[in-house]
């Protein structure tokens, strides 16, 4: 770099992106080997908020691999945080000042994994002084690795990802979701679903926020929204969408940041219409 400072994507000769890719691939391989062989299932904040030894083991694997390369970095992982929205928000605030912060969801779509529904992923992001600069989402079932670097584009299977071209909800397939919070988030997501579903070509609820975002980036979905997410669900996927030409905000249209829990991500062309639909339905969560 011109001013002689270290480029944020590399420390010494070690590429953050290469470490993220390698770590996600190894984690995904281990997760896939455990499919159909879950020994114990626990619950966290609700009966719908599942955790398995696979979640915990995968996070430990990811944490160890990252810290082997970058022992001075911080790692914020889902399984290291107490359940519930307040604890999640506090964990992000407490880590916000870290120079390098890895944000990890070891198994996004645990309920799908437990039931053998093949839609789950590993999500690994790296934030530099609060801004996500690397994002990797890996789908071990399809062996699809989505990779994005800030200012350098996003790719899957070596091809650059580009968002879809739809300009109206009527032409679009969009996705939503139902997080574990049955008291606060569920009624709002249902309200949004009721408002959006009649306006779109199709609506999907796959159960993995990270993969939904990767699909928006790849042009497979025109948009995705959900109330009640956490930084580890969306940090990597949001970068993928942005680097593929899409738009990411909060559901009320506010700028995206790691503290955003109510997310709206689109190809850009339908963003305002989808945001207005949620607003009119009182389904933004704000």
């Amino acid at each position: 770099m011109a001013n002689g400072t270290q480029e944020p994507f590399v420390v010494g000769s070690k590429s953050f992106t290469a470490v993220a890719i390698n770590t996600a691939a190894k984690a995904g391989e281990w997760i896939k080997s455990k499919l159909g062989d879950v020994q114990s299932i626990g619950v966290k904040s609700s009966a719908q908020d599942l955790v398995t030894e696979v979640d915990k083991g995968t996070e430990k694997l990811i944490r160890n691999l990252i810290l082997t390369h970058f022992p001075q970095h911080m790692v914020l992982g889902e399984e290291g945080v107490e359940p519930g929205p307040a604890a999640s928000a506090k964990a992000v605030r407490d880590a916000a000042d870290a120079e390098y912060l890895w944000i990890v969801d070891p198994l996004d779509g645990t309920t799908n994994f437990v039931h053998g529904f093949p839609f789950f992923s590993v999500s690994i992001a790296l934030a530099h002084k609060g801004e996500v600069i690397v994002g990797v989402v890996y789908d071990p079932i399809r062996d699809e690795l989505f990779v994005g670097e800030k200012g350098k584009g996003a790719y899957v299977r070596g091809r650059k990802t580009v968002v879809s071209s739809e300009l109206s909800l009527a032409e679009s397939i969009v996705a939503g979701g139902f997080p574990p919070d049955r008291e606060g988030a569920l009624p709002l997501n249902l309200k949004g679903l009721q408002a959006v579903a009649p306006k779109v070509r199709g609506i999907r609820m796959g159960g993995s926020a990270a993969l939904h975002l990767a699909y928006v980036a790849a042009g497979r979905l025109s948009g995705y929204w959900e109330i009640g997410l956490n930084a580890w669900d969306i940090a990597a996927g949001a970068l993928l969408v942005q680097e593929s030409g899409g738009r990411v905000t909060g559901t009320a249209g506010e700028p995206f940041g790691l503290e955003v829990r109510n997310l709206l991500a689109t190809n850009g062309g339908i963003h305002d219409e989808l945001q207005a639909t949620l607003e009119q339905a009182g389904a933004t969560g704000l």
Side-chain angles (χ1 to χ4, degrees):
M1 298 176 71
N3 60 6
T5 59
Q6 176 66 55
E7 183 181 0
F9 295 98
V10 182
V11 164
S13 61
K14 292 181 180 178
S15 161
F16 295 149
T17 306
V19 170
I21 290 169
N22 181 58
T23 300
K26 287 185 176 178
E29 182 180 349
W30 192 75
I31 289 169
K32 190 175 178 180
S33 75
K34 296 293 183 180
L35 188 61
D37 187 31
V38 178
Q39 300 299 317
S40 66
I41 302 171
V43 298
K44 295 191 288 186
S45 63
S46 72
Q48 292 77 28
D49 194 5
L50 302 183
V51 63
T52 71
E53 77 275 9
V54 179
D55 299 78
K56 295 175 181 178
T58 306
E59 182 163 317
K60 184 177 180 180
L61 170 68
I62 292 170
R63 187 180 294 271
N64 288 345
L65 285 170
I66 290 171
L67 293 179
T68 295
H69 292 283
F70 307 113
Q72 304 306 315
H73 290 191
M74 283 188 65
V75 179
L76 175 63
E78 178 179 12
E79 303 313 323
V81 177
E82 290 294 316
S88 298
K90 182 179 185 301
V92 173
R93 285 196 305 272
D94 290 348
D97 292 334
E99 182 178 13
Y100 286 104
L101 174 67
W102 294 85
I103 305 161
V104 174
D105 193 336
L107 178 51
D108 186 47
T110 299
T111 301
N112 287 346
F113 174 80
V114 166
H115 287 268
F117 187 81
F119 195 80
F120 46 82
S121 59
V122 180
S123 177
I124 299 175
L126 173 62
H128 178 243
K129 298 179 179 177
E131 180 181 36
V132 178
I133 59 169
V134 175
V136 172
V137 174
Y138 181 51
D139 175 353
I141 296 297
R142 294 166 191 79
D143 191 28
E144 285 192 321
L145 185 74
F146 300 85
V147 183
E149 288 184 331
K150 181 72 176 177
K152 299 184 179 183
Y155 298 83
V156 61
R157 296 186 185 276
R159 299 188 306 273
K160 195 171 182 1
T161 51
V162 179
V163 294
S164 65
S165 58
E166 290 81 26
L167 297 176
S168 71
L169 290 181
E171 303 173 281
S172 301
I173 294 179
V174 302
F178 300 126
D181 177 9
R182 286 334 200 213
E183 300 299 320
L186 179 60
L188 290 166
N189 282 302
L190 285 170
K191 192 182 288 188
L193 175 64
Q194 189 171 25
V196 173
K199 294 190 173 187
V200 295
R201 179 169 288 166
I203 197 160
R204 305 289 181 261
M205 301 275 180
S208 169
L211 270 187
H212 281 146
L213 288 165
Y215 278 26
V216 173
R220 301 171 187 176
L221 293 167
S222 304
Y224 163 65
W225 91 97
E226 190 166 341
I227 306 295
L229 296 167
N230 295 301
W232 43 82
D233 300 314
I234 57 182
L239 181 67
L240 295 175
V241 173
Q242 292 167 329
E243 289 299 316
S244 301
R247 184 177 172 195
V248 183
T249 68
T251 47
E254 73 274 25
F256 174 73
L258 292 178
E259 73 287 349
V260 168
R261 303 193 69 249
N262 306 324
L263 187 77
L264 175 60
T266 74
N267 63 355
I270 67 164
H271 201 92
D272 291 340
E273 186 183 2
L274 183 50
Q275 196 278 321
T277 300
L278 296 173
E279 190 93 52
Q280 289 161 12
T284 63
L286 297 174

